[in-house]
């Protein structure tokens, strides 16, 4: 058992022994005005730029400059199949088979595409279940899908709330709810990690409970992909969507990911919104009138994808693949564990951590609830060179990310945080 200390020299020792320490150098770390590295704890919002992203994008710019349209076939990495170059790495990242994943569009678009196929309400089974405090885009998306089917969100949308006085939803409560109401539920669609509380939902157990009652189960993995170890195929999840600009460092507004379980690969009977990039590759350029979907997740594609975006994502996925999600997760648990100890050493009544204290139920993120003057505290942290964010009404979110954050970052953050919060 390590005796964690709140000194920079102790944190530097941990950094020295860190087997993943070389990866920090592979990222552009924003600077404070004095030129020192800032403490970047906003990787749960926008991940940092891999230094290689520029080279990967430049290669495509060069090929475009030299070859014009011929780049579709003759670029060093031809553009027509470019998304296929990301399939294996993406599959490893989320615990899937390559046929189950594709990168395309953006997250909310993918969520809609999935619901078009997998939210099939009937008179008896019409509800969508989401977590209370789901990200607004998810709330709008599910409400609009319900209305699209002529139904009313007041009766067809159910939110799962934590118990009174608690901030996270207990898995046993979710299971009990599904057991009781399952026959009226068409779709369970939760965040893999809730954006506000940082709670990791027990996806395997929830999927099992949902399937037992005949519900479709999907997840929004915006805060889970690249953060926690995922095993979507084995967990038997029906579909999942995620963005790549957070933990996956693919840049602002980057292209998103989508998982469709192999068991649905041949579900050509399902309605879907189609586009030519989902069309059978053998015949796509013969321009047939009738749509014939590619097997698997690729069959849900609409448009030919943005190559510069895919190039940026590839730069980051190469790093993930080398570092490995398991090793990253191990370091992440140690970083957050250290942060928790240091914050708890100085906590007063004004501060509470709403993220679960069980490491299995959280990822990189800590959501710190500040009862009074939280927004001012957040602004002062930013002024001190700490990147963190404020989520209304009362939460400061911080996320030490194992690829590029250090134990020294955690120690220095905690020292500044404790000092500024004491000053009120
Ligand atoms: C949990 C969650 N869902 C959905 C979104 C919306 O993503 P996009 O704008 O890429 O559709 C976000 C964005 O931060 C998010 O955190």
């Amino acid at each position: 058992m390590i005796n964690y200390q709140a000194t920079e020299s102790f944190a530097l020792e941990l950094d020295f022994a860190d087997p993943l320490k070389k990866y920090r150098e592979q990222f552009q770390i924003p600077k404070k005005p004095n030129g020192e590295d800032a403490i970047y704890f906003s990787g749960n919002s926008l991940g940092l730029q891999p230094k290689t992203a520029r080279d990967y994008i430049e290669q495509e710019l060069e090929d475009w400059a030299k070859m014009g349209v011929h780049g579709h076939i003759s670029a060093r990495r031809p553009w027509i199949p470019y998304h296929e170059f990301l399939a294996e790495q993406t599959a490893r990242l989320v615990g899937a088979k390559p046929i189950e994943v594709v990168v395309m569009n953006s997250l909310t678009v993918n969520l809609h595409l999935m619901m078009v196929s997998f939210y099939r309400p009937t008179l008896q089974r019409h509800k969508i279940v989401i977590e209370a405090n789901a990200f607004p885009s998810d709330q709008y998306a599910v409400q609009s899908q319900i209305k699209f089917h002529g139904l009313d969100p007041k009766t067809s949308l159910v939110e799962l709330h934590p118990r009174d006085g608690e901030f996270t939803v207990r898995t046993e409560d979710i299971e009990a709810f599904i057991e009781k109401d399952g026959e009226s539920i068409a779709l369970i669609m939760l965040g893999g990690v809730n954006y506000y509380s940082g709670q990791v939902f027990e996806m395997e157990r929830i999927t099992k409970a949902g399937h037992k009652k005949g519900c479709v189960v999907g997840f929004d993995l915006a805060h889970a992909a690249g953060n926690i170890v995922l095993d979507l195929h084995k967990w038997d999840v029906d579909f999942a969507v995620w963005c790549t600009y957070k933990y996956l460092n693919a840049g602002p507004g980057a292209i998103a990911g989508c998982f469709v379980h192999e068991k649905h690969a041949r579900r050509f009977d399902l309605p879907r919104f189609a586009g030519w990039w989902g069309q059978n590759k053998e015949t796509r350029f013969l321009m047939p009138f009738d749509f014939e979907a590619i097997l698997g997740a690729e069959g849900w594609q609409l448009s030919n994808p943005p190559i510069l975006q895919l190039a940026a994502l590839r730069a980051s996925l190469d790093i993930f693949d080398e570092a490995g999600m398991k090793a990253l997760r191990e370091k992440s648990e140690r970083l957050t564990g250290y942060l928790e100890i240091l914050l708890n050493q100085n906590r007063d009544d004004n501060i509470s951590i709403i993220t679960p204290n069980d490491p299995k139920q959280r990822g990189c993120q800590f959501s710190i609830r500040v009862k009074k003057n939280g927004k001012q505290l957040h602004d002062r942290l930013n002024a001190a060179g700490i990147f963190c964010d404020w989520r209304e009404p009362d939460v400061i979110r911080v996320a030490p990310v194992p690829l590029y954050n250090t134990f020294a970052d955690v120690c220095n953050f905690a020292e500044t945080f404790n000092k500024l919060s004491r000053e009120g």
Side-chain angles (χ1 to χ4, degrees):
M1 180 86 181
I2 303 173
N3 177 21
Y4 283 104
Q5 294 161 33
T7 60
E8 197 179 13
S9 59
F10 176 77
L12 289 171
E13 273 175 40
L14 294 178
D15 284 329
F16 185 73
D18 170 17
L20 300 177
K21 62 176 178 253
K22 70 170 183 179
Y23 292 106
R24 177 177 173 87
E25 284 163 24
Q26 300 184 20
F27 288 86
Q28 303 281 5
I29 312 287
K31 305 281 178 216
K32 296 183 193 171
N34 67 6
E36 285 173 15
D37 286 350
I39 297 178
Y40 194 81
F41 278 0
S42 285
N44 58 335
S45 182
L46 182 72
L48 290 181
Q49 184 186 124
K51 289 181 181 164
T52 46
R54 197 175 286 268
D55 300 334
Y56 282 54
I57 291 171
E58 254 166 25
Q59 178 172 323
E60 302 316 319
L61 289 173
E62 275 169 21
D63 286 356
W64 176 26
K66 286 191 198 135
M67 298 177 197
V69 70
H70 294 314
H72 281 304
I73 289 165
S74 307
R76 281 165 282 180
R77 285 194 176 266
W79 302 329
I80 289 177
Y82 199 107
H83 65 278
E84 295 170 25
F85 305 137
L86 291 95
E88 294 212 351
Q89 290 179 330
T90 302
R92 276 195 283 282
L93 194 76
V94 297
K97 298 185 176 183
I99 195 178
E100 296 175 315
V101 293
V102 65
V103 281
M104 59 182 188
N105 314 310
S106 47
L107 190 164
T108 309
V109 174
N110 290 347
L111 181 55
H112 275 297
L113 292 177
M114 290 295 100
M115 287 196 284
V116 163
S117 296
F118 294 106
Y119 174 51
R120 309 297 310 144
T122 61
L123 222 50
Q124 198 221 350
R125 190 187 280 282
H126 57 95
K127 291 181 189 160
I128 301 183
V129 176
I130 59 172
E131 79 261 40
N133 237 342
F135 192 79
S137 199
D138 294 4
Q139 294 177 9
Y140 308 149
V142 295
Q143 284 174 36
S144 62
Q145 286 282 338
I146 288 169
K147 289 183 191 162
F148 183 69
H149 285 278
L151 299 167
D152 184 350
K154 282 202 201 83
T155 43
S156 293
L157 181 59
V158 182
E159 290 184 305
L160 295 170
H161 287 268
R163 294 184 188 185
D164 280 350
E166 297 186 4
F167 292 97
T168 51
V169 195
R170 298 189 194 193
T171 308
E172 66 261 32
D173 290 355
I174 301 175
E175 288 172 329
F177 176 77
I178 296 171
E179 184 61 33
K180 182 169 73 65
D181 268 22
E183 262 111 58
S184 64
I185 300 169
L187 171 65
I188 300 165
M189 211 297 292
L190 305 178
V193 177
N194 178 266
Y195 86 100
Y196 191 77
S197 67
Q199 175 186 12
V200 172
F201 282 95
E202 290 189 66
M203 289 174 255
E204 187 174 17
R205 274 176 67 180
I206 294 168
T207 305
K208 205 164 165 210
H211 285 171
K212 192 172 146 220
K213 287 292 191 175
C215 320
V216 173
V217 185
F219 291 98
D220 172 349
L221 303 177
H223 287 266
N227 176 10
I228 58 171
V229 176
L230 297 163
D231 215 349
L232 299 180
H233 176 83
K234 189 170 142 251
W235 296 342
D236 205 25
V237 168
D238 291 291
F239 72 83
V241 292
W242 59 95
C243 57
T244 63
Y245 44 76
K246 299 178 187 295
Y247 295 101
L248 296 179
N249 312 312
I255 195 155
C258 185
F259 165 91
V260 181
H261 198 281
E262 193 182 26
K263 67 187 174 190
H264 302 304
R266 290 171 194 277
R267 291 293 311 277
F268 303 119
D269 57 312
L270 290 173
R272 68 175 93 191
F273 285 171
W276 77 314
W277 224 250
Q279 164 70 20
N280 178 353
K281 290 177 216 177
E282 308 279 303
T283 56
R284 185 193 283 149
F285 286 94
L286 300 175
M287 310 292 185
F289 179 78
D290 290 322
F291 176 72
E292 185 198 339
I294 306 169
L295 277 189
E298 274 188 280
W300 271 267
Q301 293 175 106
L302 299 177
S303 304
N304 75 106
I307 299 301
L308 304 184
Q309 288 271 309
L310 290 175
L313 176 57
R314 216 163 56 74
S316 177
L317 290 184
D318 279 352
I319 300 173
F320 267 93
D321 223 28
E322 191 189 294
M325 228 15 255
K326 251 183 91 194
L328 287 166
R329 176 67 167 142
E330 263 167 40
K331 177 176 171 188
S332 168
E333 287 186 16
R334 293 175 68 226
L335 281 171
T336 44
Y338 187 38
L339 177 59
E340 184 173 40
I341 288 168
L342 299 187
L343 288 177
N344 280 338
Q345 278 176 357
N346 267 284
R347 223 159 68 189
D348 59 31
D349 284 354
N350 197 33
I351 306 289
S352 52
I353 296 171
I354 64 169
T355 307
N357 54 19
D358 171 6
K360 298 278 164 287
Q361 289 186 52
R362 68 185 183 209
C364 295
Q365 176 182 320
F366 258 105
S367 302
I368 306 169
R369 184 166 176 245
V370 189
K371 274 198 229 149
K372 274 195 315 257
N373 302 332
K375 179 76 171 71
Q376 283 96 311
L377 176 57
H378 163 264
D379 294 347
R380 292 176 71 205
L381 288 165
N382 270 288
I386 292 168
F387 284 74
C388 54
D389 66 21
W390 172 251
R391 284 290 173 267
E392 295 291 348
D394 53 10
V395 158
I396 293 174
R397 300 187 311 173
V398 291
V401 168
L403 264 180
Y404 47 73
N405 284 125
T406 61
F407 290 89
D409 282 343
V410 168
C411 179
N412 293 332
F413 165 80
E415 191 188 339
T416 309
F417 182 91
N418 288 335
K419 178 170 160 286
L420 294 179
S421 68
R422 270 198 307 272
E423 286 169 11

